[in-house]
Amino acid sequence: MAYCSAWGPTEILYAMDMLPFMPENYAVIAAARQQVVPFLEEAEAKGVTRDVCSYCRASLGMMWLDDGPYGALPRPNLVISYPHLCDPYSGWWELHARHFDAPMFNFDGPFLLTAQPQEHHLDWVTQQLKDLVAFIEQNTDRRFDYDRFREVVALSAQAKALAWQLQEYRKTIPSPVGLREAVNDIFYLSVFLGRQEAVDYFTLACREAEEKIAQGRGASDEEDIRLFFYNIPPWYCLDQFINLFAGRRAVIVCDYYSGFLWLGDYFDGLELNPDRPFESLARAHLYFSGVVGLDSDMERLGRAMTEWSCDGAIFNICPGCQVHSRNEILKMKKLVEQTGLPVVGYEAAQADPRTYTAEKVSLIVESFLDTLDSKGSGR
Amino acid sequence: MTWNGVLSDLEQLHADRHDLARAEKQAGRGIWGYTSACVPQEILAAADLRPVQLTIDGRAEYTEQGKRFNPYYYCLIAQDWLGQIQNGVYDYLDGLVHADICSPGRSIIEAVNYLELTPTSFALSYPTESNTTTRNFFVTELGQLARFIEQTTGRQITDDALWAAIRLYRERTKLLRRFGRLREEVGSPLTGSQAVRVVLAGLTAEVGRFNQLLTDLLAAAEGREPAGDGRVRVMVSSLLPEAAVGLIDLIEELGGLVAVDDFCLGPRLFAGEETQVFEGDPYRHLANEYLGRVPAPYRVSQEYRNELLVNQAMRGRVAGVISLLPRYCQPAILQYPALEKRLKALGVKTLRLEDGMNEETTRTRVAALLEACR
């Protein structure tokens, strides 16, 4: 078993018969099951202040309390850290590695002002994937099989293509997929890429979406207002949050998290190529929104608003998440200038329910939807 | 030059940093900003450009303006620098080079690039580890930076010019190491308040001028009386010298002596072996020197950085360590509990502060720590 972040690369782990364990996903589960607060408090008591990412605090709290929503964290054989993807990752993963006395691999990468990696960027990430294989072989009894790896990447490519198709279906009016379904799909995009389960899941999800489109049904009973959602949603009250929109016939038809964060390569017209598995995975890695700059993010935002026919956008100001909140205030302002459409922000950490004030968020969303109504944005 | 005269010149160099840079620009020199010690300034110098480190100003108007870019939970550096740049404080810059070490840093370079707040900018990817894969990458990345500068400025960066710049900057490293050793000695003539101002000058002054003044200061130190006899020796751990000036002055006002610090410039330049050989591929030489050795919390392991800090505290024979953590700097926050545990095990008293804390609270807590150390 390897601890890794939701960024994987699961394809390499599955190809080598390793199980990925993602502490941040476990934090999401703890939050969704309303069990996260004691873990957050444990981390805070140990000096990890509330300024730190709520996933990180929850995960460390679970480790120190030797507990979790489905039991204590498992002991890993190795830990894969991602120092370039997120601010707390390097320290957070190092603390896990030390606690469990497991060897750690730093999977690093460049930051690009635009999503246009040069050859040496690609070479670096490609070589690191190969170094990771060598690291796993050195630290476990697992051996790498290139043909098996290609098969796994082929499965990943199938699943991602289907997941992207699902995003394309969201362009339909009414959209067959809303935020609830889209962000739940991320579980399969993060945990199961490279396995048949992901292909089966997205095949079913696409079929369901096609049926809805054929019947003219949407994710919500009524869809008058189409919205874009930016940043990570509040996992501990996802239904409550989404119902704020559904009750006003508003549907979130495109979102940063399930769209161009996890599927940034597909969003930009690329796809995985199982015949060049290392290079292809490396390229996908370089299109995650976390490692590309504002020029690309603004271009993607503009495209999302236009192609998914959004009437406005809602941004979560997500305390503790610096990687996805980079220049978020500027992005909101520029998006208004770029599209002429209204944009609003509210504040809530993704896995810390103590930061979510239901009345306040409700008021913000209601006022925003009132504005859209008064502008005659509805269909 | 006299001891006080050199110290005063160094302090003035920092105070006049913007005017001096503007004057050099008017005289026809290209001025390029850089964002951290991870940027190899030698490459800029090899193109006869004047590198200037961006520094915190601290005025509320700048941090407020910075919040027009990032939400409030970004560190003081990001808010302050973006505010200053937006306000034209750095209007003399011809370019900006940023080494990728954290999200707040990324927010600066991407905003500068997107809004064209400086005429040109370069985001330098900076690997965490030093191994064959990362060094090979970084050699190419540094070459890309050099080609970018050449294309932008029309100046050629020859290997000879780059070696000359490396020698000049290693001279600064050597002098700063001597300065660091002088500080750590019991009976050193330097106070912490004086030392931090020397470090600040080193961030922004023209390197040749700085080297000369530091040479003069070290010469003037001989035979001088100890600065801190009978005072409680403490270490200040703070990423940002600018943010710690007030704290260091306060500690010394309350009867302490800040004998050691870990400012970006300090340990980053003091760490590692001294360069002995100046030949071969200068880009590979820089890659070997920079990777894995600059102890920015985001880019090295907690173990490496904590080891460095504990060793510094031990060498400085301090009774207490005061850590001024930059608020919202997650790698620094995550690192701190293990550091505190190690220091306490060694019998060193610790105090954790955050930037932006109330002045009176800080005064009371510092006074209590000094009292506990006596």
Side-chain angles (χ1 to χ4, degrees):
Chain A
M1 173 178 285
Y3 274 19
C4 60
S5 91
W7 307 88
T10 50
E11 293 88 343
I12 283 183
L13 296 174
Y14 288 137
M16 298 181 77
D17 289 325
M18 297 282 292
L19 275 177
F21 180 80
M22 302 175 177
E24 58 200 322
N25 272 7
Y26 209 35
V28 173
I29 292 167
R33 290 169 59 93
Q34 314 302 322
Q35 295 172 330
V36 76
V37 173
F39 304 126
L40 298 170
E41 288 173 345
E42 174 66 14
E44 289 155 15
K46 289 223 164 22
V48 182
T49 64
R50 286 192 185 198
D51 293 340
V52 174
C53 162
S54 50
Y55 284 164
C56 173
R57 277 180 285 139
S59 154
L60 292 174
M62 287 191 265
M63 178 180 80
W64 285 321
L65 282 175
D66 201 24
D67 196 6
Y70 298 123
L73 296 183
R75 177 172 288 278
N77 297 95
L78 50 94
V79 170
I80 307 169
S81 176
Y82 307 81
H84 70 302
L85 286 179
C86 180
D87 290 79
Y89 271 165
S90 54
W92 170 8
W93 259 241
E94 188 180 339
L95 287 167
H96 279 314
R98 277 168 186 283
H99 183 84
F100 292 112
D101 195 23
M104 187 172 87
F105 182 87
N106 269 323
F107 191 90
D108 211 344
F111 172 66
L112 306 169
L113 286 173
T114 56
Q116 291 167 334
Q118 296 175 45
E119 201 177 325
H120 71 296
H121 296 127
L122 201 54
D123 287 347
W124 178 22
V125 180
T126 303
Q127 185 55 48
Q128 278 191 113
L129 288 166
K130 293 176 182 172
D131 291 348
L132 174 61
V133 167
F135 177 80
I136 295 171
E137 288 193 331
Q138 279 160 18
N139 287 284
T140 67
D141 59 0
R142 302 296 199 263
R143 292 295 166 259
F144 182 70
D145 179 322
Y146 187 73
D147 290 335
R148 168 84 182 120
F149 181 45
R150 282 179 47 182
E151 287 168 15
V152 168
V153 173
L155 284 173
S156 183
Q158 277 185 58
K160 283 183 85 169
L162 288 163
W164 181 248
Q165 183 58 55
L166 208 49
Q167 294 290 334
E168 290 279 355
Y169 286 151
R170 296 175 82 185
K171 291 177 179 172
T172 313
I173 300 173
S175 170
V177 175
L179 185 69
R180 182 185 284 111
E181 300 82 5
V183 294
N184 281 324
D185 291 350
I186 292 169
F187 180 72
Y188 282 86
L189 279 175
S190 56
V191 177
F192 281 114
L193 279 184
R195 288 177 65 120
Q196 186 63 41
E197 286 92 333
V199 177
D200 293 346
Y201 173 80
F202 284 113
T203 302
L204 276 174
C206 279
R207 198 176 299 154
E208 188 180 290
E210 285 157 10
E211 283 171 12
K212 280 185 173 176
I213 290 168
Q215 294 162 7
R217 289 193 296 125
S220 191
D221 291 340
E222 293 173 290
E223 178 186 296
D224 283 349
I225 296 171
R226 295 170 65 85
L227 296 170
F228 175 84
F229 178 78
Y230 185 89
N231 221 326
I232 313 176
W235 296 114
Y236 39 81
C237 63
L238 198 56
D239 274 345
Q240 185 190 343
F241 178 70
I242 289 169
N243 288 341
L244 292 175
F245 299 91
R248 293 286 301 266
R249 303 179 309 282
V251 177
I252 291 167
V253 297
C254 188
D255 66 279
Y256 169 84
Y257 212 39
S258 74
F260 48 88
L261 180 61
W262 251 271
L263 292 166
D265 48 345
Y266 283 70
F267 201 95
D268 282 3
L270 302 171
E271 52 189 38
L272 283 180
N273 177 2
D275 292 330
R276 296 180 64 82
F278 282 112
E279 295 81 354
S280 190
L281 282 182
R283 192 174 286 281
H285 193 78
L286 295 174
Y287 281 78
F288 284 133
S289 273
V291 297
V292 298
L294 196 51
D295 288 70
S296 290
D297 249 5
M298 287 310 303
E299 188 276 326
R300 286 174 177 178
L301 278 168
R303 198 148 36 97
M305 296 291 279
T306 309
E307 292 186 13
W308 274 261
S309 312
C310 295
D311 302 306
I314 181 152
F315 279 58
N316 180 17
I317 312 291
C318 188
C321 183
Q322 292 177 328
V323 67
H324 300 311
S325 306
R326 273 193 347 252
N327 280 305
E328 195 171 355
I329 309 299
L330 179 65
K331 279 178 192 169
M332 290 166 70
K333 179 173 175 244
K334 288 292 167 188
L335 193 59
V336 173
E337 288 174 13
Q338 198 174 310
T339 64
L341 295 169
V343 173
V344 74
Y346 74 95
E347 181 180 323
Q350 77 274 32
D352 187 345
R354 297 168 301 175
T355 63
Y356 189 88
T357 312
E359 297 75 15
K360 197 171 166 187
V361 175
S362 172
L363 195 64
I364 290 169
V365 171
E366 287 289 328
S367 307
F368 180 61
L369 295 174
D370 285 346
T371 308
L372 284 168
D373 275 343
S374 68
K375 280 176 178 281
S377 300
R379 270 146 235 287
Chain B
M1 283 184 84
T2 64
W3 173 261
N4 287 334
V6 185
L7 284 173
S8 165
D9 280 4
L10 282 162
E11 190 170 357
Q12 202 56 44
L13 268 184
H14 183 66
D16 296 342
R17 60 194 182 280
H18 297 306
D19 291 341
L20 289 168
R22 282 194 189 93
E24 280 195 63
K25 187 180 171 76
Q26 283 219 313
R29 195 167 185 197
I31 315 286
W32 279 49
Y34 67 95
T35 54
S36 80
C38 297
V39 174
Q41 302 138 57
E42 296 88 342
I43 296 176
L44 297 171
D48 196 29
L49 300 169
R50 160 85 132 79
V52 174
Q53 158 104 53
L54 302 194
T55 48
I56 291 172
D57 178 279
R59 266 176 261 187
E61 66 195 80
Y62 296 144
T63 46
E64 282 310 306
Q65 190 137 6
K67 289 175 189 162
R68 294 182 194 172
F69 295 80
N70 288 306
Y72 67 87
Y73 45 88
Y74 271 63
C75 66
L76 176 66
I77 304 180
Q79 311 288 23
D80 181 283
W81 286 0
L82 280 168
Q84 285 192 73
I85 294 169
Q86 179 83 346
N87 265 290
V89 175
Y90 285 102
D91 58 0
Y92 53 83
L93 293 182
D94 295 301
L96 181 67
V97 183
H98 168 71
D100 178 35
I101 52 171
C102 60
S103 291
R106 286 177 182 178
S107 78
I108 295 164
I109 193 67
E110 70 173 5
V112 164
N113 182 68
Y114 179 72
L115 298 173
E116 299 178 351
L117 297 174
T118 58
T120 190
S121 53
F122 190 92
L124 181 79
S125 290
Y126 185 89
T128 302
E129 287 197 346
S130 179
N131 57 41
T132 308
T133 302
T134 58
R135 282 193 297 272
N136 287 341
F137 165 77
F138 202 50
V139 168
T140 311
E141 182 76 348
L142 292 177
Q144 296 273 337
L145 169 62
R147 301 297 84 78
F148 177 80
I149 292 169
E150 287 181 334
Q151 283 162 16
T152 312
T153 64
R155 297 163 200 231
Q156 213 192 337
I157 299 175
T158 64
D159 281 5
D160 286 346
L162 188 49
W163 276 120
I166 292 170
R167 281 177 193 279
L168 185 65
Y169 277 81
R170 288 315 150 267
E171 182 59 27
R172 184 178 75 171
T173 309
K174 219 160 115 181
L175 289 164
L176 279 165
R177 283 189 176 145
R178 279 181 58 198
F179 174 74
R181 284 195 292 271
L182 175 70
R183 281 198 66 196
E184 286 170 5
E185 284 170 13
V186 173
S188 168
L190 273 163
T191 64
S193 293
Q194 291 165 338
V196 69
R197 285 164 172 85
V198 174
V199 170
L200 281 177
L203 294 175
T204 51
E206 198 276 321
V207 67
R209 173 83 178 126
F210 179 74
N211 285 354
Q212 185 54 57
L213 285 169
L214 198 48
T215 304
D216 293 345
L217 185 75
L218 291 166
E222 282 181 27
R224 282 193 64 82
E225 290 294 306
D229 265 0
R231 289 167 172 254
V232 177
R233 293 172 67 83
V234 295
M235 171 172 163
V236 166
S237 170
S238 159
L239 290 175
L240 312 169
E242 310 96 297
V245 173
L247 173 65
I248 290 172
D249 289 346
L250 174 68
I251 293 166
E252 299 199 332
E253 179 201 322
L254 293 172
L257 175 74
V258 179
V260 193
D261 62 59
D262 74 329
F263 300 132
C264 295
L265 191 74
R268 286 178 193 194
L269 292 180
F270 300 150
E273 298 299 313
E274 282 193 17
T275 307
Q276 303 291 347
V277 181
F278 295 94
E279 60 186 29
D281 175 3
Y283 295 98
R284 188 156 292 278
H285 180 91
L286 287 172
N288 290 340
E289 285 207 324
Y290 274 82
L291 289 189
R293 281 170 53 174
V294 183
Y298 192 103
R299 283 303 190 193
V300 290
S301 74
Q302 295 177 7
E303 193 172 17
Y304 170 81
R305 194 171 148 78
N306 283 346
E307 188 69 21
L308 199 67
L309 296 179
V310 169
N311 285 341
Q312 273 189 298
M314 291 300 101
R315 276 202 315 274
R317 280 170 273 187
V318 298
V321 171
I322 300 176
S323 298
L324 179 62
L325 296 184
R327 207 161 167 214
Y328 308 115
C329 179
Q330 302 193 32
I333 296 168
L334 286 169
Q335 170 197 288
Y336 183 75
L339 174 67
E340 185 183 42
K341 199 172 163 186
R342 281 195 64 183
L343 289 168
K344 280 185 172 164
L346 291 164
V348 177
K349 306 271 188 239
T350 58
L351 173 62
R352 173 183 179 154
L353 301 171
E354 282 179 347
D355 55 28
M357 281 178 74
N358 172 290
E359 218 174 297
E360 273 314 302
T361 309
T362 305
R363 175 177 284 272
T364 308
R365 295 185 68 193
V366 168
L369 179 95
L370 294 175
E371 194 53 42
C373 289
R374 283 197 174 96

